[in-house]
């Protein structure tokens, strides 16, 4: 049984991979890279998964004592994210209180990360779908800031744009920071993760 399920939200395929809406998926790919983990496709579950072991940062915890974490990205579009999340929770027998969803957040500036437990969906279609399919919003979230568009650009257009060359250095640091926050959350708990990363 997996200790934790960490799902990075986004839209599938290379067309969307670099968009703002896909920063959640970018974070779980960073975690898989750290763990030298190979991704596996699960067409029936509508998800791709990778397994890593995560120990408290800087403690040198041996891998057999570290937390087992299943990383996942969805094979559905954002507004159907709840389908693979529900499938994964059932297949892996993970409770919602051991689910972490990593997602883009309009109300947080680019470069900032926040961790929380439960709460509303704030208009996010991926979170709405997860609530609809699982019947709960009581899971952990790692919220990755993308900011709001300036001028008259619609939010729906904004989340489907890529990052500018000037933003990419900030993006890289933010993805690293969000991956660190996930590791802290699953090994040290929410209070320590918030103290360290909700700056």
């Amino acid at each position: 049984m997996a200790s934790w399920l960490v799902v990075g939200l986004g839209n599938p395929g290379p067309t969307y991979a670099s968009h703002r809406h896909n920063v959640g998926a970018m974070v779980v790919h960073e975690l898989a890279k750290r763990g030298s983990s190979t991704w596996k496709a699960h067409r029936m579950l509508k998800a791709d998964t990778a397994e890593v072991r995560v120990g408290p940062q800087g403690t040198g915890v041996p891998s057999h004592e570290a937390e087992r974490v299943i990383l996942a990205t969805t094979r559905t579009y954002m507004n159907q994210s709840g389908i693979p999340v529900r499938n994964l929770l059932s297949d892996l027998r993970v409770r919602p209180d051991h689910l972490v969803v990593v997602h883009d957040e309009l109300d947080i500036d680019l470069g900032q990360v926040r961790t929380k437990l439960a709460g509303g969906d704030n208009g996010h279609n991926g979170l709405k779908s997860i609530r609809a399919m699982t019947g709960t919003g009581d899971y952990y979230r790692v919220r990755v800031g993308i900011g709001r568009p300036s001028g008259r650009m619609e939010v729906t257009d904004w989340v489907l744009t890529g990052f500018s060359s000037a933003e990419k250095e900030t993006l890289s640091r933010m993805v690293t920071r969000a991956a660190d926050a996930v590791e802290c959350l699953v090994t040290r708990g929410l209070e320590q993760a918030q103290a360290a990363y909700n700056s």
Side-chain angles (χ1 to χ4, degrees), residues 125-196:
N125 287 333
L127 301 183
K128 286 181 184 178
S129 178
I130 292 170
R131 186 183 297 274
M133 290 294 105
T134 66
T136 184
D138 294 338
Y139 52 84
Y140 293 98
R141 297 106 184 270
V142 174
R143 304 157 68 209
V144 186
I146 62 169
R148 286 191 174 271
S150 58
R152 297 183 178 181
M153 180 181 282
E154 294 289 335
V155 165
T156 51
D157 294 327
W158 174 249
V159 298
L160 295 178
T161 62
F163 294 89
S164 70
S165 55
E167 292 173 322
K168 285 183 178 175
E169 185 176 343
T170 300
L171 170 65
S172 178
R173 290 196 304 267
M174 182 175 66
V175 167
T176 297
R177 184 173 177 80
D180 291 344
V182 171
E183 291 181 342
C184 185
L185 176 60
V186 302
T187 58
R188 296 183 182 273
L190 179 63
E191 186 175 340
Q192 290 198 42
Q194 289 180 326

Side-chain angles (χ1 to χ4, degrees), residues 82-116:
I83 297 170
V85 171
R86 179 194 60 193
N87 292 345
L88 288 162
L89 289 171
S90 176
D91 187 71
L92 297 169
R93 292 180 293 164
V94 173
R95 301 186 310 270
D97 65 352
H98 273 59
L99 167 66
V100 181
V101 174
V102 189
H103 65 90
D104 57 300
E105 181 57 66
L106 287 161
D107 291 331
I108 299 174
D109 291 338
L110 179 68
Q112 299 297 310
V113 173
R114 301 284 187 277
T115 58
K116 65 183 271 189

Side-chain angles (χ1 to χ4, degrees), residues 6 10 17 28 37-38 40 44 48 53 61-62 79 94 99 104 118 130 134 138 147 150 152 154 179 193 196 198:
V6 179
V28 296
S37 183
T38 302
K40 298 177 183 176
M44 293 295 291
D48 295 332
R53 294 278 178 170
V61 171
N79 62 357
V94 173
L99 167 66
D104 57 300
I130 292 170
T134 66
D138 294 338
S150 58
R152 297 183 178 181
E154 294 289 335
N198 288 23

